[in-house]
Amino acid sequence: MNRFEYVSPRTFAEAVAVLAPKEGDVAKAGGVDLLDLMKEGLLAPRRLVNLLGVAGDDLRSIGHRPGDSLRIGALVRIADLAKDPTVRDRFAALAESAAHVATPQIRNMATVGGNLCQRPRCWYFRGIKFPCLRKGGDLCFAVDGLNRYHAILGGGPCYIVQASSIAPALLAFGARIRIVRAGGEREIPIERFYVPPDDDVERETVLAPGELIAEVIVPDPKGTTLSGFREYREKQSFDWALVAASVVLDVDGTMCRDARIVLGAVAPIPWRAAAAADALRGKTLSRETAGQAADAALRGADPMAENAYKIPLARSVVFRTILRAARRIVPGDPEA
Amino acid sequence: VTVIIHRDGRVEARNGAQDIGTGTRTLVALIAAEELGLRVSDVEAKIGDTSFPVGPASGGSVTAPTLTPAVRDAAYHAKRKLFEVAAPKLSAKPDDLAAAAGRIFLGSDPRRGLTWKEACALIEGESIEYTGERSPNYAGYRGGVAGVQFADVEVDTETGIVRVIEVVAVQDCGRVMDRLLVESQIIGGVLQGTSYALFEERLLDPATGRMVNANMEEYKILGSVDSPKITAIPFDVYNGMNNIGCMGLGEPPVIPTAAAIGNAVYNAIGARIRELPITPARVLAALAGRKG
């Protein structure tokens, strides 16, 4: 690991000013992925700007205005998001996805902003010896290499899977991200925050140098909204998801008025399964309609040599997560 | 192994072997204490230092059976020297003395005796010291151990995810010197066996030959949630023909676990998985093959 300077601004405004685009300055919140990247030799910051020293609660609190929105500060810890009573009650898929992040130790350190910005776990990207496309090279090693954990949807020319557990849930709830830079700010839907590899293969988000996530704004669900999250992984302790699904249902009795279904760990970005949502809209929720939606979700999947098994896994996770979200109105959640 | 009995009653047992978590230090103190008629806490086991007598490498499941007979030998001879020191005071012959419960006494009349400290105070000079060796095993020693394990698994046939619910491990192990250590060795073996049954795999990039998962994140090792309930049953057999009755136990409990899990998965889904680890991808492929 390289030598670096370390500064700890007292206010967020000061942090933003310090970070105004300078080559080699890197913001640090929980530092979880950052430490990995530095030890892997993928990042050699000249200076780390510690955000955890910033005074005040604005970036560390979760605020809820009923009928309006939920506002989550960028420095809210994943553990606090997972246990927040309002999030658990009204945004269940988000709380459940946060509760599945890594390990209790990491959830106590990692922040919402950091989780959204973490870099992909692809072993070719993480291996300094592989000059892959995402590191400015000219080859995706996964295409002819080891690709059991890689993308089955939306891949090419790079086949990473997006690493954040909470991003798909936020996308399903229609969240927006407020981004701050020296002398300005912008607010964008989280759907536009992530960059597919065919747009730009070297970045995962639109965050520009000098920009920081300030907060995530989630519109308060209208009417009767049910939601759920589920992920499958090889290890039940501390593992990355093979597939994950976040499902948000707007219901009237057992009729699905609207659905938003977003998959994690199957594509380079949080993957909106629009066809699955279409299959549910206007239908009575049941095991049968959940199954039809799950079939639709995987249409168009394009696996590589070693990851075709993720298709039945993803189908299953969509099916079961719809039933999980709807468990109060449809009996038969297989893991209830 | 060198056993030193100091004039103030302290006892040291020294050997260069390491304790890699298997309880070597405990066993050295335990055997010396048993031979000298003391409590384990009365013996200071000093190990892992090159200035001490040469010890076995910690491997091959032979550290305890290599070392402990030598501890017995050293402690026995040091005790004999102490008997020679104490015998005149008790108007007895060294051969007539015994050591137990912190006392040196006449075997024929246990009331006639000295406390351990009183006996040690008779030592001329600072200490009695004896370096013992490990003599060959007696006739009939059978070094090979046997074990049998039973696994209860749950397979999600939609996702291919396998959970190991419980493993019962019966392990033939010679004399049980310390039940906690024996059970701990068996439990450790089952955990490692479960881990390589379900998770562990060295992945080499086919084009470059580089290992892509050479870190503790991508190289998967089971964690607490993946750990089955483990019932360890030490099976005390009289095969360890040496002055301890002991055989090695380090690695043998690892061997049956993955096979037991593989058989349990077969029993659950009716399809054989012929490669480890038993991943969701392999289970789904096996299920598809069964149907096809």
Side-chain angles (χ1 to χ4, degrees):
Chain A
M1 201 190 290
N2 62 301
R3 297 178 69 85
F4 54 88
E5 210 184 309
Y6 184 85
V7 291
S8 200
R10 291 282 162 218
T11 66
F12 191 54
E14 197 188 319
V16 171
V18 165
L19 274 167
K22 285 191 202 81
E23 196 64 30
D25 274 15
V26 173
K28 182 202 81 68
V32 178
D33 191 29
L34 181 62
L35 184 67
D36 278 359
L37 292 166
M38 289 172 71
K39 290 176 83 169
E40 284 153 352
L42 297 177
L43 196 58
R46 186 182 61 83
R47 182 163 70 163
L48 287 188
V49 180
N50 175 37
L51 302 178
L52 295 187
V54 167
D57 285 340
D58 287 3
L59 294 166
R60 292 190 177 82
S61 59
I62 300 172
H64 182 232
R65 287 170 57 194
D68 180 41
S69 64
L70 178 81
R71 299 176 91 91
I72 307 162
L75 295 180
V76 166
R77 300 181 315 158
I78 296 296
D80 293 330
L81 182 65
K83 69 183 183 206
D84 184 87
T86 306
V87 179
R88 287 167 61 116
D89 181 45
R90 296 190 61 79
F91 304 87
L94 180 56
E96 289 164 10
S97 68
H100 280 80
V101 170
T103 65
Q105 291 94 327
I106 289 175
R107 293 196 290 274
N108 280 330
M109 203 63 212
T111 64
V112 166
N115 183 282
L116 295 177
C117 294
Q118 63 189 301
R119 303 220 62 192
R121 304 306 314 187
C122 168
W123 39 43
Y124 294 113
F125 170 68
R126 293 276 166 170
I128 191 71
K129 303 285 190 187
F130 294 102
C132 76
L133 282 176
R134 194 159 288 273
K135 296 200 289 287
D138 54 10
L139 183 66
C140 174
F141 288 82
V143 172
D144 292 320
L146 300 174
N147 49 40
R148 61 172 66 176
Y149 301 132
H150 288 77
I152 52 172
L153 285 159
C158 158
Y159 289 84
I160 60 159
V161 294
Q162 195 278 136
S164 168
S165 295
I166 64 172
L170 287 169
L171 208 129
F173 281 112
R176 300 173 68 78
I177 295 188
R178 190 162 69 82
I179 296 167
V180 175
R181 66 182 183 280
E185 64 170 68
R186 58 182 174 140
E187 198 180 296
I188 58 167
I190 189 169
E191 199 145 15
R192 292 221 319 271
F193 182 69
Y194 289 102
V195 178
D198 47 0
D199 281 3
D200 184 343
V201 78
E202 290 188 43
R203 62 199 302 195
E204 295 85 51
T205 74
V206 298
L207 219 53
E211 283 191 320
L212 287 174
I213 297 179
E215 63 180 351
V216 179
I217 303 151
V218 194
D220 210 25
K222 303 198 175 29
T224 304
T225 296
L226 304 173
S227 72
F229 167 90
R230 180 166 269 156
E231 72 176 22
Y232 297 153
R233 48 198 199 183
E234 290 178 341
K235 281 165 57 185
Q236 306 313 311
S237 288
F238 195 10
D239 201 0
W240 297 91
L242 299 171
V243 296
S246 289
V247 171
V248 177
L249 304 172
D250 177 9
V251 298
D252 183 0
T254 57
M255 200 271 284
C256 176
R257 287 203 302 217
D258 194 12
R260 277 157 297 171
I261 298 173
V262 184
L263 303 186
V266 297
I269 57 172
W271 189 257
R272 182 183 283 281
D278 291 345
L280 284 183
R281 202 169 289 117
K283 301 273 175 55
T284 297
L285 286 161
S286 67
R287 290 178 67 88
E288 193 193 352
T289 50
Q292 288 160 358
D295 289 337
L298 274 299
R299 242 168 252 147
D302 186 16
M304 294 185 281
E306 296 183 338
N307 66 357
Y309 74 98
K310 289 178 74 166
I311 295 174
L313 248 60
R315 188 209 169 273
S316 166
V317 84
V318 171
F319 173 69
R320 291 187 189 177
T321 311
I322 291 169
L323 293 178
R324 178 177 177 80
R327 64 191 181 279
R328 270 186 264 160
I329 52 173
V330 179
D333 174 14
E335 286 170 32
Chain B
V1 176
T2 300
V3 167
I4 304 168
I5 302 172
H6 291 277
R7 199 165 49 165
D8 61 6
R10 285 184 301 118
V11 177
E12 288 177 52
R14 296 177 169 183
N15 183 268
Q18 285 291 349
D19 188 338
I20 55 169
T22 52
T24 306
R25 192 189 303 274
T26 303
L27 296 180
V28 166
L30 182 80
I31 298 303
E34 179 182 76
E35 191 60 37
L36 299 173
L38 297 171
R39 293 168 303 186
V40 176
S41 56
D42 295 330
V43 178
E44 200 181 346
K46 291 190 167 175
I47 60 170
D49 190 318
T50 47
S51 67
F52 296 156
V54 173
S58 298
S61 304
V62 295
T63 313
T66 304
L67 195 54
T68 52
V71 176
R72 168 93 72 207
D73 185 60
Y76 171 79
H77 286 99
K79 180 178 71 176
R80 294 288 302 179
K81 286 184 161 190
L82 182 62
F83 286 173
E84 284 167 21
V85 169
K89 185 86 174 176
L90 292 167
S91 312
K93 283 183 285 191
D95 281 351
D96 297 335
L97 298 183
R103 292 177 73 246
I104 305 291
F105 54 87
L106 263 73
S108 57
D109 182 4
R111 284 170 304 174
R112 275 176 59 200
L114 299 166
T115 65
W116 178 263
K117 284 209 162 190
E118 286 166 352
C120 292
L122 301 172
I123 295 170
E124 287 176 23
E126 286 307 309
S127 60
I128 286 171
E129 192 172 314
Y130 190 90
T131 299
E133 289 180 351
R134 193 204 190 286
S135 45
N137 290 311
Y138 310 149
Y141 178 86
R142 292 224 304 275
V145 294
V148 59
Q149 296 187 10
F150 306 83
D152 180 22
V153 306
E154 200 175 87
V155 184
D156 184 331
T157 52
E158 194 171 291
T159 65
I161 295 171
V162 175
R163 304 287 303 270
V164 183
I165 308 300
E166 183 173 2
V167 173
V168 175
V170 181
Q171 185 62 49
D172 154 5
C173 58
R175 174 165 294 163
V176 175
M177 284 184 272
D178 182 290
R179 192 173 181 102
L180 184 65
L181 288 180
V182 168
E183 289 179 352
S184 176
Q185 288 291 299
I186 297 172
I187 289 167
V190 172
L191 289 174
Q192 289 186 40
T194 305
S195 191
Y196 89 71
L198 297 187
F199 307 121
E200 295 186 37
E201 192 169 14
R202 187 181 63 141
L203 296 169
L204 303 178
D205 175 58
T208 63
R210 287 187 193 285
M211 184 167 168
V212 297
N213 63 339
N215 58 59
M216 297 300 278
E217 177 153 5
E218 298 291 353
Y219 185 90
K220 299 189 179 188
I221 294 177
L222 97 169
S224 51
V225 186
D226 306 299
S227 301
K229 179 188 172 200
I230 299 167
T231 304
I233 303 175
F235 186 52
D236 190 339
V237 293
Y238 188 50
N239 285 344
M241 303 290 184
N242 50 48
N243 68 22
I244 302 291
C246 141
M247 297 190 296
L249 186 66
E251 291 147 280
V254 176
I255 297 166
T257 313
I261 291 170
N263 281 341
V265 169
Y266 171 69
N267 188 251
I269 66 172
R272 281 280 173 199
I273 313 287
R274 301 200 184 275
E275 265 181 295
L276 295 180
I278 303 171
T279 58
R282 287 184 176 138
V283 172
L284 290 177
L287 283 166
R290 182 195 63 175
K291 281 168 195 157

